[in-house]
Amino acid sequence: MINTALKNIRRSPYQALAAVSMTGLTVFIVSLFALVSLASHLVLRSFETKPQVIAYLKDDHTVDSVNGLIKEVTDTGLVKNAIYVSKQEALEIYKRSVGNDPLLLGTVTDLGVITADVLPASLEVTAKSPDDFPTIVSILERSSIISSTPKGKKEIDFPQDILTELTAWTRAIRTAGLLLIAILCFNSIITIMIVVSMKIASRRYEIGTMKLMGAKGWFIIRPYLVESVLYGAVGGVFGWLASYIAILYSTPFLAPRLIGIIALPVGFTLMLALLAALVLLFSLLGLFSGLLAAVRFIKR
Amino acid sequence: MIVFDQVSKVYPTGNTVLENVSFHINPGEFVILTGPSGAGKTTVGRLLIRDLLPTSGSIKVGEWDLAKMKPGHVSELRRHVGVVFQDYKIIPDKTVFENIALALEIIGYPGKQIEDRVKHLLELVGIPDKKDLFPVQLSGGELQRAAIARAIVSEPKLLFADEPTGNLDDQTAADIYQLLLAIHNLGTTVIMCTHNRSFLDPGHRHINLEKGKITLDTSSSSQPARAAPLREGHKSKEEKHKKTKE
């Protein structure tokens, strides 16, 4: 059965190439889309789980006033947690983020070494949902211990705009990607179906003879189904390989931009899981296409 | 084994090929079916494997009533009736070995047994050295032998040979006839269609068809044919084959 399928493929290599390249292209796009979807999900989650609202405190704040503000914010029920970051802790965080860069640490400037005094203490509030930002921010803005800019604006940072923008982009990418994948899958099905139909049509005499010898429909269509599955599976492997190469090639560009959010290069285990899923999915797609072609002819 | 009861066949074009044809063929008979071209000989064969349905009348092959048979059972019937087609129907891009093996693959023989059985059949029909050749590389007589080998490889109880000696020289035709006799001697019921009256033997039954009607039937028995089960016979042969292998 497999030998017959392989023989059929060998006898018309260009038809096989058309089927495999169409499937491979689809798999390539599906593979990239799956990884982009995963990445965008991780980026969104990263923004959602990091302290989202940072309110900088005046230097003359007291522990009691900070605790009072934390209680007020927490009591809204909209907050996952709210933590106080002292000046000393802010310095530690700064040092960790800049590493050993002497310029950023101030050791080579006229201003002298950066100390805890130059950094403000802050209150970091993690909201349950980005939708709750306005309520939390309004509470913080009313507090007298939050520092203000010279123009009188409270020094409160929150990534509402980024998050909204990112969510919109993610949704747009998902919609466009799914639409593209649907079109490409349809094209793959049609391509495999046409290739298999042509092969079956060219073997009508053989099929007719087999029927007269007592062959059942299933026996006759099996090699064509195996052939269709092979188109799907081989296309799956090639498409995956192309996407893996593309990801590895773009890793030097992406890695510094996604540091702390996504670990690059993408783990081989994840890629293997993706390969297994793609081969399975596109083998089924091949089987479906082959069935469409074979059943049509067997009924004649 | 075979019962044709008042069978008529009218093609959609209005051409009547068989008209109220009745005959019984008992298991183990060797029947020579003669008649001019268009007399209905090939139609009898096509009716036997339900490639066609009769316009009226009934046909029984073994325990099957072909008119009432479910379409899903047709393949089962065809597995038990070996047919040597007039145009051979040898698949051009398969070797002789693959063509013969196909009949066994269809009935689900295991690979090793297929090889042994096909080799045996190639010996029987006298073309063991042609197994790897393609049909286009064979002579008419060799093609006919390959077609016969394919028809009997699955040990059917019934063999229908449609003009197996047509287009062959006298010597090759005689060889093919002898081969069919040998197959008959192994216990197979044989129906051989031919124009060649030199094969008529008083020891064999002769049915002559003309314009869709039987004009001669030298049947020695007027008793209806027994409904010998094709399938059981086939099974017992398979078992015999297995035992031989063991």
Side-chain angles (χ1 to χ4, degrees):
Chain A
M1 181 174 61
I2 290 174
N3 285 343
T4 310
L6 291 175
K7 201 191 289 176
N8 286 348
I9 292 171
R10 272 202 309 273
R11 281 175 183 163
S12 46
Y14 291 108
Q15 288 177 10
L17 188 65
V20 168
S21 45
M22 187 63 231
T23 316
L25 175 67
T26 307
V27 173
F28 175 66
I29 301 292
V30 169
S31 178
L32 285 185
F33 172 73
L35 291 168
V36 167
S37 285
L38 179 65
S40 62
H41 172 73
L42 290 174
V43 169
L44 264 180
R45 209 175 65 177
S46 164
F47 273 93
E48 284 170 359
T49 52
K50 277 182 178 174
Q52 294 147 337
V53 182
I54 302 172
Y56 298 100
L57 305 175
K58 288 177 180 171
D59 287 346
D60 58 355
H61 66 271
T62 62
V63 174
D64 287 344
S65 60
V66 172
N67 287 338
L69 184 56
I70 288 175
K71 188 174 182 308
E72 190 182 350
V73 172
T74 312
D75 285 349
T76 59
L78 307 173
V79 170
K80 265 188 194 166
N81 67 354
I83 55 168
Y84 170 68
V85 179
S86 67
K87 283 173 167 283
Q88 192 56 43
E89 285 166 338
L91 180 63
E92 293 304 317
I93 292 168
Y94 178 74
K95 280 181 177 175
R96 274 204 302 275
S97 66
V98 299
N100 295 320
D101 190 331
L103 189 66
L104 293 173
L105 286 171
T107 51
V108 293
T109 65
D110 295 339
L111 296 171
V113 177
I114 290 177
T115 62
D117 290 340
V118 298
L119 297 170
S122 60
L123 190 62
E124 294 187 349
V125 182
T126 305
K128 284 181 180 169
S129 161
D131 298 337
D132 301 326
F133 282 168
T135 313
I136 296 165
V137 170
S138 70
I139 294 169
L140 294 172
E141 278 178 340
R142 285 199 305 272
S143 171
S144 59
I145 60 169
I146 305 296
S147 67
S148 303
T149 61
K151 289 181 177 176
K153 191 176 182 297
K154 293 283 186 181
E155 288 190 286
I156 301 170
D157 286 346
F158 62 99
Q160 180 68 64
D161 291 346
I162 297 172
L163 216 54
T164 309
E165 194 78 357
L166 204 62
T167 306
W169 271 103
T170 306
R171 280 184 190 149
I173 288 169
R174 279 183 191 162
T175 309
L178 285 175
L179 194 67
L180 182 65
I181 285 169
I183 293 168
L184 287 173
C185 282
F186 177 73
N187 285 348
S188 296
I189 289 171
I190 293 290
T191 308
I192 294 177
M193 198 179 92
I194 289 172
V195 167
V196 174
S197 296
M198 284 166 70
K199 294 197 173 189
I200 293 175
S202 70
R203 305 184 82 79
R204 264 190 201 158
Y205 179 78
E206 180 179 337
I207 290 171
T209 304
M210 285 164 77
K211 279 184 177 177
L212 291 175
M213 290 166 69
K216 292 190 173 170
W218 172 240
F219 178 87
I220 295 169
I221 65 172
R222 258 186 331 187
Y224 300 103
L225 295 185
V226 170
E227 190 179 336
S228 309
V229 169
L230 281 176
Y231 290 146
V234 173
V237 172
F238 280 120
W240 171 84
L241 201 61
S243 67
Y244 197 18
I245 290 168
I247 289 161
L248 289 177
Y249 187 74
S250 55
T251 294
F253 172 78
L254 293 173
R257 287 160 179 81
L258 294 170
I259 199 159
I261 300 171
I262 298 169
L264 287 172
V266 180
F268 191 64
T269 314
L270 174 69
M271 288 308 290
L272 273 184
L274 185 65
L275 170 67
L278 289 172
V279 168
L280 178 69
L281 187 71
F282 279 83
S283 298
L284 289 174
L285 183 135
L287 181 66
F288 175 68
S289 315
L291 270 174
L292 284 180
V295 169
R296 206 156 54 100
F297 279 88
I298 291 301
K299 279 184 178 170
R300 287 182 182 176
Chain B
M1 175 177 253
I2 299 170
V3 180
F4 267 56
D5 186 13
Q6 295 293 308
V7 173
S8 294
K9 179 64 192 174
V10 182
Y11 282 112
T13 53
N15 183 24
T16 303
V17 191
L18 294 178
E19 199 175 337
N20 297 323
V21 169
S22 297
F23 59 80
H24 308 280
I25 294 175
N26 286 313
E29 277 196 277
F30 190 106
V31 179
I32 296 182
L33 192 59
T34 57
S37 294
K41 302 187 296 294
T42 299
T43 302
V44 168
R46 292 182 69 187
L47 288 167
L48 272 178
I49 55 168
R50 210 175 179 268
D51 190 28
L52 293 174
L53 277 170
T55 309
S56 63
S58 76
I59 303 170
K60 285 183 181 166
V61 178
E63 69 270 42
W64 286 300
D65 184 335
L66 303 198
K68 293 176 185 166
M69 193 176 206
K70 288 180 184 169
H73 292 159
V74 173
S75 55
E76 189 69 18
L77 163 77
R78 291 177 181 173
R79 291 172 183 201
H80 292 88
V81 181
V83 179
V84 181
F85 298 97
Q86 194 170 9
D87 58 352
Y88 311 136
K89 293 209 184 295
I90 294 286
I91 297 164
D93 60 359
K94 286 188 188 289
T95 63
V96 170
F97 183 94
E98 289 167 343
N99 264 287
I100 300 169
L102 181 63
L104 294 176
E105 286 165 8
I106 286 172
I107 61 172
Y109 255 58
K112 181 70 182 96
Q113 283 188 29
I114 289 178
E115 199 177 332
D116 293 345
R117 177 91 188 120
V118 174
K119 277 182 185 168
H120 172 68
L121 257 292
L122 285 167
E123 294 279 350
L124 184 73
V125 299
I127 49 168
D129 53 332
K130 310 287 180 187
K131 74 181 180 75
D132 294 324
L133 296 186
F134 286 90
V136 73
Q137 297 170 290
L138 301 181
S139 69
E142 288 165 345
L143 266 178
Q144 194 63 271
R145 286 167 190 271
I148 292 171
R150 192 182 65 182
I152 62 167
V153 72
S154 58
E155 300 186 72
K157 290 288 282 181
L158 171 63
L159 176 67
F160 183 88
D162 192 0
E163 301 280 6
T165 57
N167 302 321
L168 298 179
D169 62 75
D170 289 348
Q171 183 54 52
T172 311
D175 289 346
I176 295 291
Y177 177 62
Q178 289 302 320
L179 181 59
L180 292 175
L181 285 177
I183 292 162
H184 172 245
N185 289 335
L186 291 172
T188 309
T189 306
V190 177
I191 303 173
M192 174 183 164
C193 299
T194 183
H195 290 295
N196 194 336
R197 300 183 76 86
S198 67
F199 295 127
L200 294 176
D201 181 331
H204 295 142
R205 183 172 168 189
H206 173 207
I207 297 175
N208 189 58
L209 277 172
E210 278 184 32
K211 293 181 181 173
K213 291 181 179 173
I214 292 180
T215 56
L216 172 74
D217 185 351
T218 63
S219 171
S220 55
S221 166
S222 58
Q223 294 295 312
R226 296 189 304 275
L230 285 177
R231 283 184 289 193
E232 281 177 18
H234 184 81
K235 272 180 194 166
S236 66
K237 278 202 172 181
E238 270 183 2
E239 281 161 13
K240 258 192 264 174
H241 181 67
K242 278 180 191 167
K243 279 179 187 169
T244 312
K245 291 290 135 199
E246 282 164 13

